[in-house]
Amino acid sequence: MGTHRARPAVGLAVGRGTGPELADVFTTALTTIGRLFSTEIDIRRSPRTYHSYFSLKAQGGTEEIRRLTHADADHYEQFCRVQARAGVTAVFRTAMNAQSLYLVRQRLRAVKVDPVTPSLLMVRDEAQGFYTGENRHGPATVTRTTVFSREITGKVVEFALRRAREQWPGTGPDRIVLAYKFHLLDGAFGAWVAEIAQRLGVQVELCQPDTVNRNLIEHGLTGRTLLVAGNEWGDVMHVVLLDRFGGARQEDRCSENVHLHPEVAGLVEYQTVHGSADDLAGTGRVNPTATLRASAAVAQRHAGCPGAVAALDRALRAVRDRGVGTP
């Protein structure tokens, strides 16, 4: 008797703005790629459409925005947990309100992985820091409390080192640079990093973000560099690094978020780098390139379609070479 091979399953979470249009692009592209490889892919879509920042602003005052922000975060976190328990290893998510998303990243201990160039791997710490935390409202004030921990710092560095060794097998990184605003943490963060580096048997350069900026401007990239960054600096600098060293546009990129929480370990979230683009919603003008790239990455890495990424890149180049314009 022949063995029955289970269909690969992929999660899909859709935000407002251009999310519904890009969800259609992703679904069509992933299904088409699967058929080319004789693979039927099960797409499991979240039943909730998550707010963008601009759709939230239309819902009312601060209290209503706060309620909906946490409702979206709670729902999306649960969706991710359910997919992970079911054995799903990938979720594609269109843009949603950053505050909700950052709450989920904090809870599930996410890191964002982006090989900016063949010699620069950036891992952004989304699990802790100034982009995480909770707000407390007072009369004309908002107090935001954030937490750093030795445990999470160690997990992030350990993951980043493993990923770097996968990217550069046999050699690993020449340099490991951490870009954090560690001077604000009473020396604790620096002590943690020294302990982690000693335990892992590696040398780590812990730098203030402005020092990393200056060194990149003055010296450029030197060797294979693993750059682990606090999310607030990585978010701002990503487009600069792409432009200066990667020769790429942010609108054409997708990235992956890996969850380190043990209850969802193995679940990878793919996203377009651009935002919700609410001003383009319903006009048919949103750039689908990043979504197409995400569909190929998901198909290749999670649905048994080897070569899908290279095939899509060839197709995109062919479109551009024919002078059709941005696909």
Side-chain angles (χ1 to χ4, degrees), residues 3 22 24 54 60 109 119 128 133 140 143 161 181 185 198 235 261 266 280 286 310 323:
T3 57
L22 292 176
D24 289 344
F54 293 100
R109 301 184 180 183
S119 61
Q128 62 181 350
T143 302
L161 186 58
K181 201 68 180 174
L185 302 175
Q198 183 177 28
D235 185 26
H261 194 291
L280 298 180
V286 62

Side-chain angles (χ1 to χ4, degrees), residues 43-176:
I43 299 176
R44 302 178 180 180
R45 182 166 178 160
S46 170
R48 186 182 183 94
T49 301
Y50 303 97
H51 278 285
S52 70
Y53 175 75
F54 293 100
S55 70
L56 265 181
K57 286 180 64 177
Q59 299 305 307
T62 299
E63 286 305 313
E64 181 64 7
I65 290 175
R66 181 181 176 87
R67 184 186 71 80
L68 290 171
T69 292
H70 281 78
D72 274 354
D74 293 345
H75 190 282
Y76 183 52
E77 178 190 0
Q78 184 62 20
F79 176 74
C80 289
R81 289 180 178 274
V82 168
Q83 300 314 307
R85 286 196 296 269
V88 174
T89 60
V91 171
F92 174 71
R93 176 191 52 75
T94 71
M96 61 186 282
N97 179 45
Q99 189 175 354
S100 301
L101 181 59
Y102 291 165
L103 284 170
V104 177
R105 288 172 170 172
Q106 177 182 350
R107 296 169 186 175
L108 300 184
R109 301 184 180 183
V111 291
K112 180 172 289 185
V113 181
D114 196 335
V116 178
T117 75
S119 61
L120 175 59
L121 174 64
M122 183 161 71
V123 175
R124 283 163 52 178
D125 181 354
E126 301 172 315
Q128 62 181 350
F130 302 112
Y131 267 23
T132 61
E134 294 280 354
N135 296 334
R136 186 175 71 254
H137 292 260
T141 64
V142 178
T143 302
R144 187 164 181 82
T145 303
T146 64
V147 176
F148 289 84
S149 83
R150 178 170 56 188
E151 177 195 2
I152 291 178
T153 303
K155 296 294 185 185
V156 170
V157 174
E158 289 169 10
F159 168 83
L161 186 58
R162 287 197 306 271
R163 193 58 176 261
R165 287 169 173 165
E166 291 174 6
Q167 177 160 327
W168 300 302
T171 59
D174 297 318
R175 300 176 64 203
I176 304 172

